[in-house]
Amino acid sequence: MPFGVTATGFEIETEQEILDRLAATARSTISPSLDVSENSAMGRLLAIFAADIAENQELAQSVYNSFSDLAEGQALDNRAALTGTTRAPAKYSTVTCTVNMDISTAVVAGEIIASVSGNPDALFANDDPFTAPSTGNHSLTFTALSTGPVQAPDNTLTVLEVSISGVNSITNPSAADPGENQESDAALRIRRRAELTAQGTGTQESIQADILRVDDVEFCEVLTNRTPYQQNGLPPHSFEAVVFGGLDNAIAQAIWDGMPSGIEVYGATSGTATDDGGNSQTVEFTRPTELQILVEVDLDVDPDLYGGDSEVVAAISNFTNGSLEIEQPDGSLLTGELTVGADVIRSRLYPAIYTVAGILDITDLRLAISPASPTAANITVGDREIVAVSGSAGIDTADITVSS
Protein backbone atom coordinates (compact mmCIF):
# COMPACT_ATOMS: atom_id res chain seq x y z
CA MET A 1 0.00 0.00 0.00
CA PRO A 2 1.20 3.61 -0.52
CA PHE A 3 2.59 5.30 2.55
CA GLY A 4 3.65 8.81 3.43
CA VAL A 5 1.79 11.95 2.33
CA THR A 6 -1.06 11.02 -0.03
CA ALA A 7 -4.16 12.72 -1.38
CA THR A 8 -6.10 11.52 1.69
CA GLY A 9 -3.54 12.43 4.35
CA PHE A 10 -0.50 10.74 5.86
CA GLU A 11 -0.75 6.98 5.41
CA ILE A 12 1.38 4.51 7.36
CA GLU A 13 2.17 0.84 6.92
CA THR A 14 1.58 -1.88 9.45
CA GLU A 15 4.68 -3.47 10.91
CA GLN A 16 3.97 -6.65 8.91
CA GLU A 17 3.68 -4.67 5.68
CA ILE A 18 7.04 -3.04 6.38
CA LEU A 19 8.61 -6.42 7.12
CA ASP A 20 7.25 -7.89 3.88
CA ARG A 21 8.57 -4.91 1.92
CA LEU A 22 12.04 -5.18 3.49
CA ALA A 23 12.13 -8.94 2.84
CA ALA A 24 11.20 -8.45 -0.82
CA THR A 25 13.87 -5.76 -1.21
CA ALA A 26 16.50 -7.98 0.43
CA ARG A 27 15.69 -10.89 -1.89
CA SER A 28 15.74 -8.72 -5.01
CA THR A 29 18.99 -7.02 -3.99
CA ILE A 30 20.97 -9.93 -2.49
CA SER A 31 19.53 -13.23 -3.73
CA PRO A 32 16.11 -14.62 -4.60
CA SER A 33 16.88 -17.60 -2.39
CA LEU A 34 17.85 -15.52 0.64
CA ASP A 35 16.37 -16.99 3.84
CA VAL A 36 14.25 -14.28 5.45
CA SER A 37 12.07 -16.60 7.52
CA GLU A 38 11.09 -15.59 11.05
CA ASN A 39 13.83 -17.60 12.78
CA SER A 40 16.67 -16.88 10.33
CA ALA A 41 19.40 -14.37 11.13
CA MET A 42 18.31 -12.11 8.26
CA GLY A 43 14.64 -12.46 9.22
CA ARG A 44 15.34 -11.38 12.79
CA LEU A 45 17.42 -8.44 11.61
CA LEU A 46 14.67 -7.30 9.24
CA ALA A 47 12.10 -7.62 12.06
CA ILE A 48 14.17 -5.22 14.19
CA PHE A 49 14.32 -2.74 11.31
CA ALA A 50 10.57 -3.10 10.64
CA ALA A 51 9.63 -2.36 14.25
CA ASP A 52 11.85 0.74 14.27
CA ILE A 53 10.47 2.00 10.95
CA ALA A 54 6.88 1.45 12.14
CA GLU A 55 7.51 3.60 15.22
CA ASN A 56 9.04 6.34 13.07
CA GLN A 57 6.09 6.26 10.68
CA GLU A 58 3.66 6.59 13.60
CA LEU A 59 5.67 9.56 14.90
CA ALA A 60 5.68 11.18 11.47
CA GLN A 61 1.92 10.67 11.16
CA SER A 62 1.39 12.24 14.57
CA VAL A 63 3.45 15.29 13.57
CA TYR A 64 1.57 15.57 10.26
CA ASN A 65 -1.82 15.29 11.97
CA SER A 66 -0.88 17.97 14.50
CA PHE A 67 -1.44 20.51 11.71
CA SER A 68 -4.96 19.24 11.00
CA ASP A 69 -8.19 18.43 12.85
CA LEU A 70 -6.78 14.96 13.45
CA ALA A 71 -4.36 16.43 16.00
CA GLU A 72 -4.47 14.77 19.40
CA GLY A 73 -3.65 15.68 22.99
CA GLN A 74 -1.22 18.56 23.45
CA ALA A 75 -0.91 19.07 19.68
CA LEU A 76 -4.67 19.62 19.49
CA ASP A 77 -4.51 21.97 22.50
CA ASN A 78 -1.87 24.05 20.73
CA ARG A 79 -3.84 24.13 17.48
CA ALA A 80 -7.10 25.11 19.22
CA ALA A 81 -5.37 27.82 21.26
CA LEU A 82 -4.34 29.58 18.04
CA THR A 83 -8.00 30.47 17.49
CA GLY A 84 -8.84 31.13 21.13
CA THR A 85 -10.35 27.78 22.10
CA THR A 86 -8.96 26.08 25.19
CA ARG A 87 -9.71 22.57 26.44
CA ALA A 88 -12.18 22.44 29.34
CA PRO A 89 -10.33 20.99 32.36
CA ALA A 90 -11.48 18.07 34.47
CA LYS A 91 -13.59 19.03 37.47
CA TYR A 92 -14.27 17.44 40.86
CA SER A 93 -17.60 16.29 42.27
CA THR A 94 -18.68 18.22 45.37
CA VAL A 95 -21.25 17.47 48.06
CA THR A 96 -22.54 18.96 51.30
CA CYS A 97 -22.38 16.46 54.14
CA THR A 98 -23.82 16.25 57.64
CA VAL A 99 -21.04 15.25 60.03
CA ASN A 100 -21.78 14.31 63.62
CA MET A 101 -18.98 15.57 65.87
CA ASP A 102 -18.23 16.05 69.55
CA ILE A 103 -17.80 19.55 70.89
CA SER A 104 -14.35 21.12 70.27
CA THR A 105 -13.31 18.38 67.84
CA ALA A 106 -10.99 20.06 65.34
CA VAL A 107 -10.07 18.79 61.88
CA VAL A 108 -7.86 20.24 59.19
CA ALA A 109 -8.78 20.39 55.52
CA GLY A 110 -8.70 16.95 53.94
CA GLU A 111 -8.58 15.08 57.25
CA ILE A 112 -12.07 13.56 57.11
CA ILE A 113 -12.10 11.05 54.27
CA ALA A 114 -15.34 9.24 53.48
CA SER A 115 -16.45 6.82 50.78
CA VAL A 116 -19.76 5.82 49.24
CA SER A 117 -21.28 2.71 50.76
CA GLY A 118 -20.61 -0.18 48.40
CA ASN A 119 -18.16 1.86 46.32
CA PRO A 120 -14.87 2.31 48.21
CA ASP A 121 -13.26 4.02 45.21
CA ALA A 122 -15.67 6.98 45.47
CA LEU A 123 -13.67 8.98 48.02
CA PHE A 124 -14.39 12.50 49.30
CA ALA A 125 -12.58 14.75 51.78
CA ASN A 126 -13.58 17.91 53.69
CA ASP A 127 -12.64 21.17 51.98
CA ASP A 128 -11.91 23.38 54.98
CA PRO A 129 -10.62 23.18 58.56
CA PHE A 130 -13.41 23.04 61.13
CA THR A 131 -13.85 23.03 64.88
CA ALA A 132 -17.20 21.76 66.20
CA PRO A 133 -18.83 24.50 68.34
CA SER A 134 -21.15 21.93 69.90
CA THR A 135 -21.85 18.22 70.02
CA GLY A 136 -24.17 17.23 67.16
CA ASN A 137 -24.55 17.52 63.42
CA HIS A 138 -22.59 20.03 61.37
CA SER A 139 -22.69 20.89 57.67
CA LEU A 140 -19.37 20.60 55.81
CA THR A 141 -18.50 20.70 52.12
CA PHE A 142 -16.62 17.72 50.68
CA THR A 143 -14.83 17.30 47.35
CA ALA A 144 -14.00 14.06 45.55
CA LEU A 145 -10.36 13.00 45.62
CA SER A 146 -10.38 12.27 41.88
CA THR A 147 -11.74 14.28 38.99
CA GLY A 148 -14.69 13.30 36.86
CA PRO A 149 -18.33 12.47 37.57
CA VAL A 150 -17.78 10.63 40.87
CA GLN A 151 -21.28 9.68 42.02
CA ALA A 152 -22.57 9.93 45.60
CA PRO A 153 -26.37 9.46 45.62
CA ASP A 154 -28.47 10.70 48.56
CA ASN A 155 -27.41 9.31 51.95
CA THR A 156 -24.70 7.00 50.58
CA LEU A 157 -21.52 8.86 51.60
CA THR A 158 -21.53 7.14 54.98
CA VAL A 159 -18.24 5.25 55.35
CA LEU A 160 -15.53 7.00 57.37
CA GLU A 161 -12.24 5.74 55.92
CA VAL A 162 -10.10 7.10 58.77
CA SER A 163 -11.04 6.90 62.44
CA ILE A 164 -10.87 10.36 64.03
CA SER A 165 -11.67 10.87 67.70
CA GLY A 166 -14.76 13.04 68.00
CA VAL A 167 -15.96 12.43 64.43
CA ASN A 168 -18.84 10.01 64.88
CA SER A 169 -20.71 9.67 61.58
CA ILE A 170 -21.26 11.22 58.17
CA THR A 171 -23.96 11.27 55.51
CA ASN A 172 -25.01 13.38 52.53
CA PRO A 173 -28.67 14.45 52.56
CA SER A 174 -28.45 15.33 48.85
CA ALA A 175 -26.59 13.76 45.95
CA ALA A 176 -23.18 15.06 44.98
CA ASP A 177 -22.91 17.65 42.24
CA PRO A 178 -21.01 15.51 39.70
CA GLY A 179 -17.69 16.67 38.32
CA GLU A 180 -16.56 16.31 34.73
CA ASN A 181 -13.84 14.49 32.85
CA GLN A 182 -11.36 16.61 30.97
CA GLU A 183 -12.85 17.61 27.63
CA SER A 184 -12.11 14.87 25.12
CA ASP A 185 -10.27 15.47 21.87
CA ALA A 186 -13.50 14.83 19.93
CA ALA A 187 -15.50 17.33 22.00
CA LEU A 188 -12.75 19.96 21.72
CA ARG A 189 -12.67 19.56 17.94
CA ILE A 190 -16.45 20.00 17.74
CA ARG A 191 -16.44 23.09 19.97
CA ARG A 192 -13.52 24.64 18.09
CA ARG A 193 -15.26 24.13 14.75
CA ALA A 194 -18.47 25.63 16.18
CA GLU A 195 -16.60 28.71 17.38
CA LEU A 196 -14.75 29.10 14.08
CA THR A 197 -17.90 28.81 11.98
CA ALA A 198 -19.81 31.31 14.13
CA GLN A 199 -19.65 34.48 12.09
CA GLY A 200 -20.99 37.64 13.70
CA THR A 201 -24.03 37.40 15.97
CA GLY A 202 -27.60 36.25 15.60
CA THR A 203 -26.99 33.14 13.52
CA GLN A 204 -27.87 29.66 14.73
CA GLU A 205 -24.17 28.74 14.73
CA SER A 206 -23.02 31.85 16.58
CA ILE A 207 -25.64 31.45 19.32
CA GLN A 208 -24.57 27.85 19.81
CA ALA A 209 -20.91 28.87 19.94
CA ASP A 210 -21.66 31.62 22.50
CA ILE A 211 -23.48 29.14 24.75
CA LEU A 212 -20.71 26.53 24.47
CA ARG A 213 -18.27 29.13 25.82
CA VAL A 214 -20.23 29.35 29.08
CA ASP A 215 -18.53 27.61 32.01
CA ASP A 216 -19.68 24.02 32.64
CA VAL A 217 -21.82 23.83 29.50
CA GLU A 218 -21.12 20.44 27.93
CA PHE A 219 -23.54 20.30 25.00
CA CYS A 220 -25.85 22.67 23.19
CA GLU A 221 -28.15 22.36 20.21
CA VAL A 222 -30.05 25.32 18.79
CA LEU A 223 -33.40 24.50 17.17
CA THR A 224 -34.94 27.04 14.81
CA ASN A 225 -38.29 27.63 13.16
CA ARG A 226 -38.11 30.21 10.38
CA THR A 227 -41.63 29.51 9.13
CA PRO A 228 -44.82 31.43 9.99
CA TYR A 229 -46.28 28.23 11.46
CA GLN A 230 -45.64 26.21 14.60
CA GLN A 231 -43.09 23.53 13.85
CA ASN A 232 -41.32 20.91 15.99
CA GLY A 233 -42.87 22.43 19.10
CA LEU A 234 -41.50 25.89 18.27
CA PRO A 235 -43.66 28.99 17.74
CA PRO A 236 -43.37 30.80 14.39
CA HIS A 237 -40.11 32.69 13.80
CA SER A 238 -38.39 31.50 16.95
CA PHE A 239 -35.40 29.56 18.19
CA GLU A 240 -34.79 27.31 21.18
CA ALA A 241 -31.44 26.51 22.81
CA VAL A 242 -31.27 23.03 24.35
CA VAL A 243 -28.43 23.20 26.87
CA PHE A 244 -26.80 20.55 29.07
CA GLY A 245 -24.70 21.89 31.93
CA GLY A 246 -23.90 25.44 33.03
CA LEU A 247 -25.72 27.95 35.21
CA ASP A 248 -29.10 29.31 34.15
CA ASN A 249 -28.24 33.00 34.31
CA ALA A 250 -24.91 32.61 32.53
CA ILE A 251 -26.66 30.76 29.70
CA ALA A 252 -29.38 33.41 29.57
CA GLN A 253 -26.76 36.15 29.28
CA ALA A 254 -24.98 34.36 26.43
CA ILE A 255 -28.27 34.00 24.55
CA TRP A 256 -29.30 37.61 25.19
CA ASP A 257 -25.95 39.00 24.03
CA GLY A 258 -26.08 37.10 20.74
CA MET A 259 -29.77 36.74 19.86
CA PRO A 260 -31.17 38.57 16.82
CA SER A 261 -33.68 41.33 17.42
CA GLY A 262 -37.28 40.63 16.50
CA ILE A 263 -36.95 36.85 16.85
CA GLU A 264 -38.69 35.07 19.70
CA VAL A 265 -36.58 32.93 22.04
CA TYR A 266 -38.42 29.89 23.34
CA GLY A 267 -37.81 27.28 26.04
CA ALA A 268 -39.14 25.31 28.97
CA THR A 269 -36.98 27.04 31.58
CA SER A 270 -35.34 30.44 31.89
CA GLY A 271 -32.57 32.54 33.36
CA THR A 272 -32.04 36.24 33.92
CA ALA A 273 -29.80 38.38 31.72
CA THR A 274 -28.84 42.03 32.07
CA ASP A 275 -29.27 44.34 29.09
CA ASP A 276 -27.07 47.32 28.20
CA GLY A 277 -29.25 49.58 30.33
CA GLY A 278 -28.80 47.45 33.43
CA ASN A 279 -32.32 46.03 33.25
CA SER A 280 -33.10 42.41 33.99
CA GLN A 281 -34.43 40.35 31.09
CA THR A 282 -35.96 36.88 31.31
CA VAL A 283 -34.50 34.59 28.66
CA GLU A 284 -35.96 31.18 27.95
CA PHE A 285 -34.10 28.01 26.96
CA THR A 286 -34.54 24.28 27.53
CA ARG A 287 -32.80 21.68 29.64
CA PRO A 288 -32.78 18.30 27.89
CA THR A 289 -34.68 15.46 29.53
CA GLU A 290 -32.24 12.88 30.85
CA LEU A 291 -32.74 9.32 29.59
CA GLN A 292 -31.32 6.54 31.74
CA ILE A 293 -30.24 3.82 29.34
CA LEU A 294 -29.93 0.17 30.35
CA VAL A 295 -27.49 -2.07 28.48
CA GLU A 296 -27.21 -5.86 28.50
CA VAL A 297 -24.34 -7.51 26.62
CA ASP A 298 -23.80 -11.23 26.00
CA LEU A 299 -20.24 -12.22 25.04
CA ASP A 300 -18.35 -15.24 23.83
CA VAL A 301 -14.84 -14.92 25.28
CA ASP A 302 -11.48 -16.64 25.53
CA PRO A 303 -11.15 -17.20 29.31
CA ASP A 304 -7.36 -17.16 29.11
CA LEU A 305 -7.23 -13.71 27.49
CA TYR A 306 -10.47 -12.03 28.59
CA GLY A 307 -9.97 -8.73 30.39
CA GLY A 308 -13.13 -9.15 32.49
CA ASP A 309 -16.74 -7.97 32.61
CA SER A 310 -15.79 -4.86 34.59
CA GLU A 311 -13.50 -3.71 31.76
CA VAL A 312 -16.34 -4.07 29.26
CA VAL A 313 -18.64 -2.05 31.53
CA ALA A 314 -16.02 0.71 31.85
CA ALA A 315 -15.35 0.73 28.10
CA ILE A 316 -19.03 1.22 27.20
CA SER A 317 -19.54 3.93 29.81
CA ASN A 318 -16.36 5.81 28.92
CA PHE A 319 -17.08 5.56 25.19
CA THR A 320 -20.52 7.13 25.61
CA ASN A 321 -19.33 9.90 27.94
CA GLY A 322 -16.48 10.86 25.62
CA SER A 323 -13.52 9.84 27.77
CA LEU A 324 -12.66 6.85 25.53
CA GLU A 325 -11.75 7.46 21.90
CA ILE A 326 -10.70 4.66 19.56
CA GLU A 327 -7.98 5.16 16.98
CA GLN A 328 -8.93 4.12 13.45
CA PRO A 329 -6.60 2.70 10.77
CA ASP A 330 -6.40 6.13 9.10
CA GLY A 331 -5.26 7.75 12.35
CA SER A 332 -8.59 9.43 13.07
CA LEU A 333 -10.34 8.91 16.40
CA LEU A 334 -13.77 7.33 16.78
CA THR A 335 -15.92 8.81 19.53
CA GLY A 336 -19.22 7.51 20.84
CA GLU A 337 -20.01 10.56 22.96
CA LEU A 338 -23.78 10.91 23.34
CA THR A 339 -24.67 14.58 22.91
CA VAL A 340 -28.10 16.24 22.92
CA GLY A 341 -30.39 14.35 20.55
CA ALA A 342 -27.86 11.58 19.79
CA ASP A 343 -29.51 8.19 19.28
CA VAL A 344 -28.09 5.09 20.97
CA ILE A 345 -27.19 2.68 18.16
CA ARG A 346 -26.31 -0.85 19.21
CA SER A 347 -23.64 -1.40 16.56
CA ARG A 348 -21.87 1.83 17.50
CA LEU A 349 -21.06 0.35 20.90
CA TYR A 350 -19.26 -2.65 19.41
CA PRO A 351 -15.88 -0.92 18.84
CA ALA A 352 -15.73 0.04 22.53
CA ILE A 353 -16.51 -3.50 23.63
CA TYR A 354 -13.83 -4.94 21.35
CA THR A 355 -11.15 -2.78 23.01
CA VAL A 356 -11.22 -5.35 25.82
CA ALA A 357 -8.90 -8.30 25.26
CA GLY A 358 -10.18 -11.82 24.73
CA ILE A 359 -13.61 -11.13 23.23
CA LEU A 360 -14.42 -13.60 20.47
CA ASP A 361 -17.95 -12.47 19.64
CA ILE A 362 -20.74 -10.18 20.78
CA THR A 363 -23.64 -12.62 20.68
CA ASP A 364 -26.28 -10.08 21.71
CA LEU A 365 -26.62 -6.48 22.85
CA ARG A 366 -29.90 -5.16 24.24
CA LEU A 367 -30.96 -1.61 25.13
CA ALA A 368 -33.82 0.07 26.97
CA ILE A 369 -34.84 3.33 28.54
CA SER A 370 -35.18 2.62 32.26
CA PRO A 371 -37.33 1.07 33.69
CA ALA A 372 -38.26 -0.92 30.57
CA SER A 373 -36.66 -4.30 29.86
CA PRO A 374 -33.80 -4.22 27.32
CA THR A 375 -34.46 -5.51 23.79
CA ALA A 376 -32.40 -5.88 20.62
CA ALA A 377 -33.43 -2.47 19.28
CA ASN A 378 -31.82 0.95 19.00
CA ILE A 379 -32.93 3.86 21.17
CA THR A 380 -34.24 6.99 19.45
CA VAL A 381 -33.38 10.16 21.37
CA GLY A 382 -35.44 13.29 20.78
CA ASP A 383 -34.14 16.77 20.00
CA ARG A 384 -34.74 17.78 23.61
CA GLU A 385 -33.33 14.65 25.24
CA ILE A 386 -29.91 13.35 26.23
CA VAL A 387 -28.54 10.09 27.58
CA ALA A 388 -27.45 10.98 31.11
CA VAL A 389 -27.83 10.13 34.79
CA SER A 390 -27.90 12.77 37.53
CA GLY A 391 -26.22 15.40 35.38
CA SER A 392 -23.51 13.11 33.98
CA ALA A 393 -23.74 12.47 30.24
CA GLY A 394 -23.40 8.95 28.89
CA ILE A 395 -24.43 5.51 30.10
CA ASP A 396 -23.72 4.90 33.79
CA THR A 397 -21.66 1.85 34.76
CA ALA A 398 -24.41 0.77 37.17
CA ASP A 399 -26.79 0.39 34.22
CA ILE A 400 -24.59 -1.97 32.19
CA THR A 401 -24.82 -5.76 32.62
CA VAL A 402 -22.32 -8.09 30.96
CA SER A 403 -22.71 -11.87 30.64
CA SER A 404 -19.63 -13.77 29.47
Side-chain angles (χ1 to χ4, degrees), residues 101-104 131-138:
M101 302 172 67
D102 296 338
I103 189 171
S104 299
T131 300
S134 60
T135 296
N137 292 331
H138 304 281

Side-chain angles (χ1 to χ4, degrees), residues 295-302 306 312 315-316 326 345-356 358-367 376 401-404:
V295 181
E296 293 179 352
V297 184
D298 297 337
L299 301 174
D300 182 15
V301 302
D302 182 336
Y306 184 46
V312 176
I316 295 173
I326 302 171
I345 308 299
R346 296 162 62 238
S347 62
R348 291 180 186 170
L349 301 179
Y350 285 18
I353 296 171
Y354 278 118
T355 62
V356 178
I359 295 177
L360 303 176
D361 188 23
I362 301 171
T363 56
D364 198 11
L365 192 153
R366 300 174 295 279
L367 303 171
T401 303
V402 178
S403 299
S404 60

